[in-house]
Amino acid sequence: MSELKTVISDQIKKHGKGRDALMPILQSIVEKNNYLTNENMVEIAKELDISAADVYGTASFYSFLETEERGRYVIRICKSITCDMKGKGKVLRTIQDMLKIKIGETTQNKKFSLLETNCIGLCDQGPAMLINDDFYNHLTPEKVREVLVDYIRNKN
Amino acid sequence: MSVNLKIDGINVSVEKGSTILDAAKKINIKIPTLCHHEDLCVAGNCRVCIVEVEGKNKLEASCATPAEEGMIIKTNTPKIRNARKDIISLLVSEHNTQCTTCYRSTNCELQALSSEHNIDHERFLSVLKPHTKIDKSSWSIEKDDSKCVRCQRCVRTCAELQHVNALTVSGKGKEMKISTFLNLPFSDVVCTNCGQCITHCPTGALTERRYFDEVWEAIGDPTKHVVVNTAPSVRVALGEMLGMPVGTRVTGKMVTALKKMGIDAVLDTDFTADLTIIEEGHELLTRLKSVLVDGDTSVKLPMMTSCSPGWVKFIEHMYPEYLGHLSSCKSPQQMFGALTKTYYAEKNNINPKDIVSIAIMPCAAKKFEANRPEMRDSGYQDIDAGLTTRELGHMIKQAGLNFAELEDTKYDSFMGDSTGAAVIFGATGGVMEAALRTAYEVVTGREVPFKNLNILPVRGLEGIKEATIKIEGCLPAWSFLEGAELKIAVAHGLINARQIMDMIVAGECPYHFIEVMACPGGCIGGGGQPIPTNNEIRLKRIKAIYDEDEGMPIRKSHENPEVTKIYADFLEKPLGHTSHKLLHTKYRKRNRY
Ligand code: SF4
Ligand code: SF4
Ligand code: SF4
Ligand code: FES
Ligand code: FES
């Protein structure tokens, strides 16, 4: 909890105690913990003196502000049309086979979550995906396997 | 400064800052709307109110577009009609169009729009989400997302008028919905049950939880003695449910209707409103004495009224450390309930277990209040069901009564006597005015120094009203108040209540006594009142309330003969032992988030 309080108060110092601070706070918590817990949202509401429903409304609007438990690495594969036409289907199947999870799920060891995203602006280099903030382009089943094996072996 | 424009060929001039919609209204051109509500800020999200502005090629939302000098507007062209029909059809395509089984049928803005525009089902495929569950968790409010048009009037109401922010818009695109925190059931979130979101909802998505079937059941049961008490503000609004003009006083017809429906005793909540004044007035004077003479720091000033259960729940959630400021008096509804199953039962020789006690209220919060575990001081649930003015309107229709033609009947006795002071409980400032009429006289032996007993500074729709009354010529028992200036304030709408609470928190509250009503305008604008409610309607209902007061032979609570009698026969004295047991209550801290 105290770590959370520091995150919140740091942002309040920067942006003031008004609603302006809400987005930066939400973003920095997600950056740290990958998702917002219900308690996080209540805590933010308290600190900013706004209602918890307000915080929830804002958080649920943005795709990148997760309100459900997620793994340490969140894979977001582009579901928009260009990537789809360039072979996203095969890439997605490869990921699902390797991690044994479907879209929306998290691996048992809480390392990976698999989600879809709308276009991430890499249409000319599709199929594309993000793992947290890093992007991967020109994906093929082979390439995505390499990427994931690296994460499985070398990252915690 | 004013701007001049032309709408449908007619010149009109309006204040700068007005919208095209305002300008059209001024010359009686009706532009259909949906997300717009006079009480709320502009949202501009439904686009039903589109118009053509010469020189612009896209249609503009008239509720959200400022009127500008020289604008030429058309409100009714084939292009507009087509677009509008598409917009309404799209709303209908995601809507659960079960009007036949909908509580808001014939009083629904979406239904009216689609009927006016002759919307057909073929235009767009239905994309209604199947299996939406209705949230019936709350004692007061029901929420049915399948009837929601996402106009966000409820969200704005709860934020702008009540500053509770219980409702938000969650998700986006086709997942977007009106939601509580984490979409929790209504019963579990910070909500005051005020029902303002209901009266501002254009459709049947938000409604009060209805209890009239249970009431019909009780009426039909020969072993039950059904007692009804009707709140002051119901008599000036019920007519609207039954086709009468806004502001019609229907007290006598309402009593007749209830009797014809088979209610055994039709009594007046005014009786316990008067009793509230006696108890609360003495509580105030006692508190003043404790603080001013005895220097007792455990006693809190300002004292705040407690007859509005939406307000009570608000302070329990938002300012639980300040509950000591609330008067311990129950609301008139709950005093009535407690007395019905004790005093009334005893006097009439009826076993309280056979009494079904029903309150007809302008209020959604009183449904919750009736179900509070604290409200069982008679040994039974003091009020078995709280109905809204709207529910009573429906019941009268169900009974097949021709309301407008009914003769007038007087309330039954006893607990049916009323005074003008009790009637004005229905309007913001009324409790304060009634309390002053009595308290001043208790202390000085003279009438309040206002012409005709009308304490005008506390009347009207201003958010926070204040007044100072100098107390002079005290009777010996109250000499400690000699020369004192009693400072009072009146707030209605919880956003104004919050302002006062923040003054108290900051230690900067100059008042001794404060009246708070959760609903804008007081009970006449309550969450259980006929829909629509807006300021024009509030003012007409308020006028009817004060007319009713002026027409009463007795206009001071302490002169209500039945009140005098109940102290002689049953309660002994104000704030006495029996009063404490039956008429006063305790509050509790609730979760803030
Ligand atoms: S909300 Fe209105 S349109 Fe919808 S079912 Fe009810 S009456 Fe009909
Ligand atoms: S619940 Fe009613 S007021 Fe709220 S968005 Fe839906 S239709 Fe509008
Ligand atoms: S009942 Fe009142 S407090 Fe509750 S959601 Fe509706 S407007 Fe807000
Ligand atoms: S469509 Fe996939 S990145 Fe644009
Ligand atoms: S009424 Fe104007 S946009 Fe909804």
Side-chain angles (χ1 to χ4, degrees):
Chain A
M1 257 312 152
S2 67
E3 197 188 334
L4 174 74
K5 279 225 165 87
T6 341
V7 173
I8 298 178
S9 65
D10 281 354
Q11 297 299 334
I12 289 181
K13 259 181 232 141
K14 263 191 240 160
H15 303 275
K17 216 182 149 97
R19 286 193 75 111
D20 291 357
L22 179 56
M23 276 305 288
I25 292 175
L26 292 172
Q27 283 170 318
S28 44
I29 295 176
V30 170
E31 206 172 298
K32 269 207 156 63
N33 305 344
N34 266 351
Y35 72 101
L36 296 154
T37 64
N38 302 347
E39 294 74 31
N40 290 164
M41 289 189 264
V42 167
E43 193 63 28
I44 298 170
K46 247 184 225 164
E47 291 300 324
L48 295 183
D49 196 19
I50 58 181
S51 85
D54 269 356
V55 178
Y56 172 68
T58 308
S60 67
F61 182 83
Y62 293 98
S63 320
F64 282 65
L65 296 178
E66 295 296 335
T67 51
E68 274 163 54
E69 180 169 10
R70 298 296 182 208
R72 293 188 296 286
Y73 297 100
V74 180
I75 306 168
R76 291 186 170 88
I77 182 155
C78 171
K79 66 171 181 190
S80 294
I81 188 154
T82 319
C83 289
D84 201 47
M85 287 169 65
K86 283 191 171 170
K88 171 207 88 175
K90 280 183 288 177
V91 175
L92 178 61
R93 272 193 299 278
T94 309
I95 303 174
Q96 289 179 331
D97 286 350
M98 278 185 74
L99 301 179
K100 306 273 178 298
I101 50 173
K102 294 203 218 40
I103 285 170
E105 293 179 349
T106 300
T107 54
Q108 215 139 38
N109 61 3
K110 307 262 188 264
K111 185 157 177 180
F112 296 102
S113 295
L114 177 58
L115 302 174
E116 285 183 313
T117 171
N118 282 316
C119 178
I120 45 178
L122 296 167
C123 322
D124 57 330
Q125 305 163 33
M129 71 175 187
L130 293 170
I131 299 183
N132 291 353
D133 284 341
D134 299 321
F135 71 88
Y136 299 88
N137 53 359
H138 297 302
L139 291 172
T140 59
E142 292 72 34
K143 184 165 175 194
V144 85
R145 193 167 294 134
E146 244 170 65
V147 171
L148 288 183
V149 165
D150 181 43
Y151 271 86
I152 293 168
R153 289 234 179 94
N154 305 325
K155 305 207 175 175
N156 273 310
Chain B
M1 227 182 71
S2 65
V3 292
N4 304 292
L5 62 164
K6 193 176 241 170
I7 305 179
D8 294 343
I10 305 171
N11 289 318
V12 53
S13 148
V14 286
E15 273 297 290
K16 200 177 154 81
S18 312
T19 61
I20 297 176
L21 182 67
D22 298 329
K25 215 173 261 166
K26 197 168 167 192
I27 47 176
N28 276 325
I29 292 177
K30 190 186 160 224
I31 301 173
T33 55
L34 186 62
C35 68
H36 175 79
H37 193 290
E38 297 88 330
D39 287 348
L40 307 172
C41 79
V42 170
N45 61 30
C46 78
R47 316 310 281 185
V48 167
C49 66
I50 42 170
V51 293
E52 269 186 67
V53 181
E54 203 176 277
K56 294 198 181 169
N57 48 23
K58 90 181 191 339
L59 298 170
E60 299 283 344
S62 60
C63 73
T65 312
E68 283 166 26
E69 185 64 34
M71 268 182 166
I72 298 180
I73 312 277
K74 293 206 180 78
T75 72
N76 185 17
T77 64
K79 186 176 171 188
I80 296 171
R81 273 196 306 276
N82 255 323
R84 192 171 280 152
K85 198 159 175 169
D86 277 345
I87 289 165
I88 301 168
S89 303
L90 282 168
L91 289 170
V92 169
S93 75
E94 6 174 81
H95 193 83
N96 172 11
T97 48
Q98 294 285 328
C99 297
T100 45
T101 54
C102 182
Y103 184 51
R104 282 293 293 277
S105 187
T106 73
N107 179 232
C108 165
E109 292 179 38
L110 180 65
Q111 191 188 49
L113 281 172
S114 27
S115 138
E116 269 166 26
H117 293 80
N118 192 22
I119 300 303
D120 63 61
H121 239 316
E122 311 296 300
R123 209 155 169 133
F124 299 108
L125 276 181
S126 169
V127 291
L128 172 67
K129 288 199 196 93
H131 317 302
T132 313
K133 244 184 99 217
I134 304 177
D135 180 357
K136 296 188 180 195
S137 61
S138 150
W139 291 110
S140 298
I141 320 264
E142 283 189 18
K143 178 163 166 282
D144 180 353
D145 293 333
S146 72
K147 306 264 176 76
C148 172
V149 294
R150 293 179 281 266
C151 65
Q152 303 177 25
R153 274 158 54 162
C154 53
V155 177
R156 282 175 282 150
T157 300
C158 195
E160 293 167 27
L161 304 181
Q162 304 301 64
H163 214 287
V164 176
N165 294 287
L167 296 171
T168 186
V169 181
S170 75
K172 61 171 172 287
K174 68 182 194 336
E175 300 305 325
M176 170 187 170
K177 62 181 276 186
I178 304 305
S179 167
T180 54
F181 178 50
L182 304 174
N183 206 24
L184 290 170
F186 247 97
S187 55
D188 296 358
V189 300
V190 178
C191 159
T192 68
N193 297 311
C194 70
Q196 287 299 313
C197 51
I198 299 175
T199 52
H200 288 80
C201 177
T203 70
L206 285 166
T207 51
E208 70 270 37
R209 180 159 161 194
R210 273 106 45 209
Y211 295 86
F212 45 52
D213 288 335
E214 288 87 334
V215 173
W216 281 126
E217 200 68 28
I219 293 173
D221 181 344
T223 65
K224 296 290 178 205
H225 181 81
V226 183
V227 179
V228 153
N229 71 88
T230 71
S233 60
V234 175
R235 65 202 69 186
V236 299
L238 177 66
E240 292 165 44
M241 289 299 295
L242 299 152
M244 300 169 95
V246 178
T248 313
R249 290 149 59 192
V250 296
T251 319
K253 291 188 197 301
M254 173 177 71
V255 176
T256 312
L258 285 163
K259 289 187 156 289
K260 284 192 186 283
M261 282 159 51
I263 304 292
D264 296 299
V266 183
L267 306 177
D268 201 345
T269 324
D270 283 11
F271 165 71
T272 38
D274 281 331
L275 208 52
T276 302
I277 290 301
I278 307 299
E279 292 288 326
E280 205 167 73
H282 280 87
E283 187 184 351
L284 174 67
L285 293 172
T286 314
R287 285 196 193 208
L288 285 170
K289 183 162 183 291
S290 309
V291 174
L292 301 178
V293 182
D294 312 335
D296 184 344
T297 48
S298 70
V299 174
K300 299 285 176 233
L301 283 179
M303 185 175 95
M304 306 180 94
T305 60
S306 55
C307 11
S308 166
W311 150 240
V312 168
K313 193 153 181 274
F314 178 86
I315 185 170
E316 287 180 327
H317 281 296
M318 307 283 183
Y319 297 92
E321 310 80 32
Y322 296 86
L323 286 170
H325 289 271
L326 270 186
S327 157
S328 63
C329 285
K330 286 181 185 171
S331 72
Q333 158 178 300
Q334 292 307 140
M335 287 196 183
F336 210 102
L339 291 175
T340 304
K341 295 192 180 181
T342 52
Y343 178 57
Y344 175 92
E346 202 178 296
K347 289 269 172 186
N348 287 299
N349 235 328
I350 305 170
N351 188 334
K353 85 171 186 4
D354 296 329
I355 294 182
V356 177
S357 153
I358 293 154
I360 314 281
M361 294 287 140
C363 189
K366 291 209 166 79
K367 291 172 184 285
F368 170 84
E369 187 188 30
N371 286 290
R372 287 178 72 122
E374 294 91 343
M375 299 299 168
R376 306 179 68 95
D377 288 331
S378 64
Y380 303 86
Q381 180 163 330
D382 294 335
I383 290 287
D384 293 289
L387 301 187
T388 60
T389 310
R390 295 190 292 268
E391 284 169 281
L392 178 59
H394 278 268
M395 289 182 82
I396 292 173
K397 288 184 203 162
Q398 288 166 14
L401 299 173
N402 183 355
F403 190 73
E405 299 302 317
L406 294 180
E407 72 282 13
D408 287 348
T409 310
K410 278 199 168 18
Y411 282 97
D412 290 314
S413 76
F414 51 104
M415 306 202 346
D417 269 358
S418 157
T419 69
V423 170
I424 59 176
F425 262 61
T428 163
V431 177
M432 181 58 71
E433 181 165 346
L436 292 177
R437 284 183 195 172
T438 289
Y440 193 89
E441 215 168 304
V442 168
V443 171
T444 66
R446 287 170 287 120
E447 284 192 343
V448 274
F450 287 88
K451 185 161 173 251
N452 242 340
L453 297 176
N454 295 337
I455 309 181
L456 300 181
V458 298
R459 297 187 181 183
L461 283 181
E462 206 184 314
I464 296 177
K465 295 164 279 188
E466 41 179 27
T468 305
I469 287 148
K470 195 163 171 124
I471 304 175
E472 282 167 318
C474 289
L475 297 174
W478 304 101
S479 57
F480 70 95
L481 285 172
E482 186 61 44
E485 291 197 329
L486 187 70
K487 286 193 167 44
I488 55 116
V490 173
H492 58 115
L494 291 171
I495 191 152
N496 296 314
R498 191 185 277 280
Q499 275 193 39
I500 299 235
M501 286 314 298
D502 288 341
M503 285 161 95
I504 295 181
V505 172
E508 289 163 358
C509 186
Y511 310 115
H512 299 105
F513 184 35
I514 302 168
E515 174 202 298
V516 181
M517 294 290 156
C519 291
C523 302
I524 53 94
Q529 292 285 48
I531 303 170
T533 296
N534 54 36
N535 272 350
E536 197 186 322
I537 293 173
R538 289 188 186 97
L539 286 170
K540 287 187 181 160
R541 293 182 191 152
I542 287 179
K543 180 172 183 305
I545 285 272
Y546 290 116
D547 287 350
E548 186 98 358
D549 168 33
E550 297 252 14
M552 302 286 278
I554 305 174
R555 296 181 60 212
K556 293 178 263 177
S557 297
H558 55 280
E559 292 177 359
N560 182 329
E562 288 187 346
V563 168
T564 322
K565 192 166 157 47
I566 196 173
Y567 281 109
D569 292 3
F570 186 71
L571 293 173
E572 291 161 48
K573 59 174 201 272
L575 307 182
H577 177 70
T578 317
S579 288
H580 262 294
K581 179 164 180 293
L582 294 176
L583 309 182
H584 293 256
T585 187
K586 287 198 170 62
Y587 308 104
R588 57 167 89 184
K589 192 175 156 84
R590 293 180 196 271
N591 57 317
R592 171 70 181 84
Y593 293 94

